[in-house]
Amino acid sequence: MERVLVVDDEKDCRYALADALASRGYEPDIAEDGREALNRVVLDPSAYGYVYSDMRMPGVGGLELVEHLSGIDRTIVTVLLTGQTDSRNAVAAMRAGAFDFLSKPFTLSELEMSLVRATERRKMLLAHERERAHLHQLIETSDARHAEEMRKMFVSSIRAHARSIEAKDEYTAGHCERVERYAEVIARRHGGFDEKWVFNLRVGAILHDIGKIGVRGSILSKPGALDADEYGEIRNHPAIGGRIVRTLYGLNLEPMVRHHHERFDGKGYPAGLKGEAIPMESRIILIADTFDAMTSDRPYRRSRSTLHALAELQCHAGTQFDPHLVAIAVDAREELEAARIEMANGIRGDYFGAV
């Protein structure tokens, strides 16, 4: 049963019209002026399908009421009632957004004809609204598909960069992917980050070592200790990487890549940042990077267990690593262990499959 709001400052008129509407199967409500009617509709915009309102009322009149209603819900059918029938009133009513008008006094037959016209109009408006909503959904779906295609292209490019880093050092194959996974585990256990922040962290983790493109392969794969010059060359890779990722549009990766070798005690490089002056992303990546280094086979030693690696992180919490983040990593031991197994078995496959 459709609800009709009857608006008239004359009590007898509004009750008489409400009774007539009720006898014809409608559910009428009444308001004694335009302000009360507007407040009712604002509180529940979908409550009424029709509004029959007097044109001339103190305060908010019928024309002003209709104008407001048009901006609230375009499917409400409005009919104005007037005691002065002339072309100027009719034009004013139509311009305000009224669908129809009735001249006072009107007969029951005239009211019935008005209701027939208003009902047809209401059906048409509802159909148009459904079509508009459907079209909007189609457009949004199309935009989402386009965005997803663009993201796939971007991820493919990121993956290619990661592979180019790993190709220079056979012992670090899969390292970037693992660091990304462990960084995500720590960030999600930490909580409080939105999905865009986590996505940026994951991209930065994938590309954290991209500056090694500028380091000689003989140094990266050297099984023994590095001499001073070689170590100096290695220390340049965060700054090189920061400059490389600076050009990635829409992502702020430079700080996290540039500072992923800073230490919590300020003895890291390249800037010697200390404590919370180091970007949060960099502090997370450093822990994930170190965890992977300890739990992977390297030319100078065999991989260590998750428990052993976490114990080592705890030993250096507050000096090399953010102690709060180390505690979170320890709490996430089971997730990190599960991630190690996933990565070792190649289950995950796609860097960003879970986003």
Side-chain angles (χ1 to χ4, degrees):
M1 182 183 295
E2 288 266 49
R3 295 176 67 186
V4 184
L5 183 58
V6 177
V7 191
D8 201 315
D9 60 325
E10 295 183 19
K11 182 178 179 180
D12 291 343
C13 290
R14 65 176 177 265
Y15 277 100
L17 179 52
D19 289 342
L21 290 167
S23 68
R24 280 151 181 80
Y26 293 87
E27 182 182 348
D29 282 341
I30 57 174
E32 63 182 25
D33 56 39
R35 175 59 60 190
E36 181 185 351
L38 188 57
N39 289 339
R40 283 173 176 263
V41 176
V42 168
L43 285 174
D44 189 357
S46 62
Y48 302 104
Y50 311 90
V51 173
Y52 275 70
S53 174
D54 189 25
M55 180 177 285
R56 297 184 181 278
M57 294 179 292
V60 177
L63 292 176
E64 186 179 353
L65 173 61
V66 168
E67 288 176 350
H68 284 297
L69 294 178
S70 298
I72 295 173
D73 186 342
R74 70 189 79 192
T75 68
I76 296 175
V77 178
T78 53
V79 178
L80 287 176
L81 315 174
T82 178
Q84 298 177 347
T85 306
D86 58 41
S87 60
R88 285 180 298 177
N89 281 339
V91 171
M94 297 304 108
R95 284 179 175 173
F99 167 66
D100 200 359
F101 70 96
L102 280 174
S103 299
K104 291 182 175 180
F106 47 83
T107 66
L108 289 178
S109 176
E110 289 172 332
L111 175 61
E112 288 177 351
M113 290 300 299
S114 171
L115 288 169
V116 169
R117 293 192 297 270
T119 300
E120 290 301 314
R121 176 67 173 175
R122 171 77 170 162
K123 289 179 181 177
M124 184 187 73
L125 291 175
L126 289 173
H128 285 174
E129 186 63 19
R130 286 193 295 269
E131 291 174 2
R132 187 197 66 80
H134 180 60
L135 179 60
H136 182 68
Q137 183 179 17
L138 289 176
I139 292 173
E140 285 191 334
T141 301
S142 176
D143 288 345
R145 288 174 179 170
H146 176 69
E148 180 63 21
E149 289 301 317
M150 293 297 293
R151 198 185 73 146
K152 286 180 179 178
M153 292 175 62
F154 173 75
V155 170
S156 295
S157 175
I158 295 299
R159 185 183 295 113
H161 284 306
R163 296 290 183 255
S164 70
I165 299 166
E166 295 169 356
K168 298 192 70 175
D169 182 2
E170 62 179 301
Y171 294 104
T172 60
H175 170 68
C176 295
E177 184 177 7
R178 292 191 298 271
V179 172
E180 176 267 325
R181 185 72 174 100
Y182 301 146
E184 181 194 7
V185 168
I186 296 169
R188 294 199 182 280
R189 173 53 72 97
H190 181 288
F193 306 122
D194 62 29
E195 287 303 312
K196 181 178 180 181
W197 192 95
V198 174
F199 182 83
N200 282 2
L201 169 69
R202 295 173 67 182
V203 174
I206 289 291
L207 297 177
H208 74 282
D209 273 343
I210 194 170
K212 287 183 177 178
I213 290 176
V215 179
R216 286 174 291 163
S218 59
I219 296 177
L220 293 176
S221 58
K222 185 176 179 179
L226 302 177
D227 62 32
D229 290 338
E230 292 169 335
Y231 185 59
E233 189 171 336
I234 281 286
R235 285 170 61 99
N236 284 333
H237 85 269
I240 295 171
R243 290 195 296 270
I244 292 173
V245 301
R246 183 188 302 167
T247 60
L248 288 177
Y249 178 77
L251 297 169
N252 184 27
L253 303 181
E254 181 178 2
M256 72 175 88
V257 171
R258 177 179 291 274
H259 299 296
H260 76 274
H261 274 292
E262 305 286 359
R263 290 170 50 114
F264 201 74
D265 59 7
K267 297 179 180 179
Y269 59 89
L273 299 183
K274 183 176 182 179
E276 294 187 1
I278 306 168
M280 171 67 81
E281 300 95 326
S282 300
R283 285 178 270 155
I284 292 175
I285 290 172
L286 177 61
I287 292 175
D289 189 12
T290 307
F291 177 82
D292 181 61
M294 288 190 289
T295 55
S296 302
D297 287 332
R298 292 299 168 92
Y300 45 86
R301 58 154 174 78
R302 300 291 296 171
S303 65
R304 298 172 181 175
S305 69
T306 296
L307 284 175
H308 189 285
L310 292 175
E312 281 291 308
L313 291 174
Q314 287 179 299
C315 286
H316 299 282
T319 53
Q320 187 173 356
F321 310 110
D322 182 331
H324 177 62
L325 291 177
V326 169
I328 289 172
V330 171
D331 288 341
R333 178 181 62 81
E334 292 183 0
E335 293 100 313
L336 290 170
E337 177 66 18
R340 282 190 68 187
I341 294 172
E342 286 181 8
M343 307 303 280
N345 295 333
I347 294 174
R348 197 148 189 252
D350 184 352
Y351 283 137
F352 294 87
V355 173

